[in-house]
Amino acid sequence: MAKKNKSALTEKDGVSQPETTSKSSAEKIKFNRRKQPSVTEFVEKILSGDITFLSRAITLVESTNPKHQQKANEILDACLPHANNSTRIGITGVPGVGKSTFIEAFGKYLTSLGKKVAVLAVDPSSSINKGSILGDKTRMEQLVTDENAFIRPSPSGTSLGGVAQKTRESIILCEAAGYNTIIIETVGVGQSETAVHSMVDFFLLLKLAGAGDELQGIKRGIIEMADAIVINKADGDNTKNAKIAKIEFNRALHLYPPKENGWTPKVMVASALENKGIDAIYSMIDEYITDNKRELFFDKKRNNQNKFWLLETINQKLKDNFYNDPKIKELLNNEFSELEEGKTTPFSAASRLLEVSKNKKKV
Amino acid sequence: MAKKNKSALTEKDGVSQPETTSKSSAEKIKFNRRKQPSVTEFVEKILSGDITFLSRAITLVESTNPKHQQKANEILDACLPHANNSTRIGITGVPGVGKSTFIEAFGKYLTSLGKKVAVLAVDPSSSINKGSILGDKTRMEQLVTDENAFIRPSPSGTSLGGVAQKTRESIILCEAAGYNTIIIETVGVGQSETAVHSMVDFFLLLKLAGAGDELQGIKRGIIEMADAIVINKADGDNTKNAKIAKIEFNRALHLYPPKENGWTPKVMVASALENKGIDAIYSMIDEYITDNKRELFFDKKRNNQNKFWLLETINQKLKDNFYNDPKIKELLNNEFSELEEGKTTPFSAASRLLEVSKNKKKV
């Protein structure tokens, strides 16, 4: 793409899982042969805001090669004291709601205020072959050429935990590189909203005004996570519908108990296309962050998120170790059949499997 | 209590955790010395509907003594082919909503239809010392003397998983003993509603009509689990409020997507005190069960619940084994401090802890 070379934003692709096609093998060899700068060089360049080095460090974070991971960890450790100083905003919404257009308008507004904006994504369904959200940069034509914006597609991977970990580590690198607003985009696949909600300070749900019955079909739990609902595409013939939708969403949000920090989620209307409502949304988020910092909820939330990810990572690994054992896989299937036929209870099946695993470890 | 001896329902207390008081030690010795019938005798008696043996078998299920557990497992295995043939109904509601009165009226109605009703409970906060829901049988005076009803308080225990497992095993014993309607009571403590929801065919939320704003303060997620909301105490001056509340709840339920089986949760009003609405609630549940059996959702749901409990039991045990290690406890606290001071990332902290645990096992 011609744009890639003209832009200051040279975006590296994420490293994909090993494949059998010769094309990807060739890419991999090329990647490995490229001269790797030292950790110190990486850190210095990242702290100076060098986008190329930031991209390459994220590529290391995303790599499944243990050597790359080791290096990534050293870079992360050195960047950590310079991180944690941004506002992290999560944005979700179903395909068609206008996420890209919204993020572009929102991102441009932020850079016009002098902010440096990084846009990352969590999309566990993505892979380089299948294409991912944010992968098609032509959808954010203006933001992509903005020198104060850095856009990176979702890391690829099959497990949400893995994808989320990589994005979370990339946040640290972006913050160290001076990005003071981090936008994490996600699409409502599986538990990806929960994962993003657990790594941001403010979580925004984008919705469309439709033909009434706005709340039908919203995924369970999403409304409870949202700090704000933005009704997008409130332009032209849609303006009236958007206002009606706003009333309905406000009523719905009223049904939920207030959040721990006392915040009642807000409903806003916006037209990313006509650039309307974007400033008000930013003011709301800014006010929220300021209030939360004053009341110490901000640090508390981030601290809780860190603990959550620490425990979550361990729990996931414990499960992976157990269930990925081929012997356990086979026995588990047998126990499922026995359960289905009413020949055992879940609890005795569980003890049998745990016993097998325990004895294997002793050998 | 005089009632205990008059009633056909001789209820055994659950076995408590070891204590230091001489009274409980004496009880324990007495319990151990009591002649234990054989597994075959237990099973025969349970299948014949003998309440004393049913109670004693549940006591074995609840025991923490490995010998008792072994025996309990053998009894469960033998009872299993005769289980699984009841309607399992979960009932939740905050204290004061009239759960006991409702269960009594509902249970009496069921026995009047010729059904045999077992009432169990899941209350992880309970212990014999602290008193548990259903522990005070005087709250169900009529049901407790009904020879077609069997009432058992919540097993005691500190972990919800443990309490839920015992209740789930008790369901099997009750079904084998011929109880064709199992009511599981729970109070909204921690995740206990989720646990009960995962072991029943129908989940009922009891609510009171108040002074408007009915939906404020309902615990997150509960409404999404409910198959029906019953507004209790719809009598006297409260009748009008209950009707208003019904409209408001109906509107709220409308906001959620329909369940997988196509069911839209119903809102009913009832007065357990005046015995009003009880028959309609039973008809609704009966219709639900019939529809679900015809559409094969019934078996599918039970099968999924069994798989859920199998995996849940394993996952819980894996975590227990990891986190209960004193060395890990100490290191985890250190890592929490490092996290709080921004000196490490959740992911590198997790790998360090997993590494320690792995090396310990190898020794």
Side-chain angles (χ1 to χ4, degrees), chain A residues 166-184:
Chain A
K166 290 166 189 171
T167 301
R168 237 181 159 273
E169 292 178 337
S170 300
I171 292 175
I172 292 168
L173 297 176
C174 291
E175 288 175 344
Y179 293 90
N180 50 23
T181 313
I182 317 283
I183 296 174
I184 321 279

Side-chain angles (χ1 to χ4, degrees), chain B residues 240-256:
Chain B
K240 199 183 148 198
N241 279 344
K243 281 183 187 156
I244 297 169
K246 181 177 172 175
I247 294 168
E248 211 177 314
F249 279 114
N250 259 325
R251 188 158 56 200
L253 286 174
H254 178 69
L255 301 178
Y256 294 98

Side-chain angles (χ1 to χ4, degrees), chain A residues 90-221:
Chain A
I91 296 183
T92 188
V94 296
V97 79
K99 274 199 299 294
S100 303
T101 322
F102 179 82
I103 291 172
E104 169 143 281
F106 189 61
K108 286 300 287 178
Y109 178 73
L110 290 168
T111 58
S112 80
L113 297 178
K115 300 200 175 290
K116 287 189 74 181
V117 180
V119 184
L120 308 173
V122 172
D123 179 4
S125 70
S126 84
S127 77
I128 285 171
N129 300 326
K130 283 190 287 171
S132 70
I133 51 173
L134 281 176
D136 180 7
K137 293 203 299 173
T138 55
R139 293 183 307 152
M140 296 190 195
E141 288 193 321
Q142 292 181 38
L143 200 59
V144 92
T145 54
D146 189 323
E147 61 174 14
N148 287 313
F150 173 78
I151 302 181
R152 176 91 186 186
S154 176
S156 61
T158 45
S159 96
L160 173 59
V163 172
Q165 168 174 349
K166 290 166 189 171
T167 301
R168 237 181 159 273
E169 292 178 337
S170 300
I171 292 175
I172 292 168
L173 297 176
C174 291
E175 288 175 344
Y179 293 90
N180 50 23
T181 313
I182 317 283
I183 296 174
I184 321 279
E185 179 186 7
T186 190
V187 67
V189 177
Q191 295 292 305
S192 65
E193 275 120 342
T194 311
V196 171
H197 178 251
S198 307
M199 60 176 85
V200 298
D201 307 312
F202 195 93
F203 195 63
L204 203 149
L205 168 63
L206 283 189
K207 285 293 292 176
L208 283 183
D213 245 4
E214 306 306 342
L215 293 147
Q216 288 283 7
I218 290 191
K219 231 172 76 186
R220 288 166 189 264

Side-chain angles (χ1 to χ4, degrees), chain A residues 73 76-77 80-81 164-165 168-169 172 213 215-218 220-221 224 248 251-252 254-259 303 306-307 309-311 313-315 317-319 322-323 332 335-336 339-340 342-350 353-354 361, chain B residues 76-77 80-81 164-165 168-169 172 213 215-218 220-221 224-225 248 251-252 254-259 303 306-307 309-311 313-315 317-319 322-323 332 335-336 339-340 342-350 353-354 361:
Chain A
N73 284 339
L76 281 165
D77 281 348
L80 207 50
Q165 168 174 349
R168 237 181 159 273
E169 292 178 337
I172 292 168
D213 245 4
L215 293 147
Q216 288 283 7
I218 290 191
R220 288 166 189 264
E224 286 167 314
E248 212 178 314
R251 188 159 55 201
H254 179 70
L255 300 179
Y256 294 98
K259 310 212 167 198
N303 195 25
N306 279 333
K307 287 188 183 173
W309 283 104
L310 164 51
L311 299 175
T313 307
I314 292 176
N315 297 345
K317 192 74 186 170
L318 293 175
K319 285 195 267 183
F322 185 86
Y323 294 107
L332 185 62
E335 295 290 358
F336 277 162
L339 268 183
E340 205 154 334
K343 288 185 186 160
T344 188
T345 70
F347 306 105
S348 50
L353 290 168
L354 287 160
K361 268 198 204 100
Chain B
L76 281 165
D77 281 347
L80 208 50
Q165 167 173 349
R168 237 180 158 274
E169 293 179 337
I172 293 169
D213 246 4
L215 293 146
Q216 289 282 7
I218 289 192
R220 288 165 190 263
E224 285 168 314
M225 286 194 285
E248 211 177 314
R251 188 158 56 200
H254 178 69
L255 301 178
Y256 294 98
K259 309 211 168 199
N303 195 23
N306 278 334
K307 287 187 182 172
W309 283 105
L310 164 51
L311 299 175
T313 306
I314 291 175
N315 298 345
K317 192 73 186 172
L318 293 174
K319 286 196 266 182
F322 185 85
Y323 293 107
L332 184 62
E335 296 289 0
F336 277 161
L339 269 182
E340 204 153 337
K343 289 185 186 161
T344 189
T345 70
F347 306 105
S348 50
L353 290 169
L354 287 160
K361 269 198 204 103

Side-chain angles (χ1 to χ4, degrees), chain B residues 258-275:
Chain B
K259 309 211 168 199
E260 200 205 346
N261 58 8
W263 176 258
T264 309
K266 303 287 179 288
V267 185
M268 319 276 282
V269 294
S271 164
L273 198 70
E274 297 181 356
N275 223 353

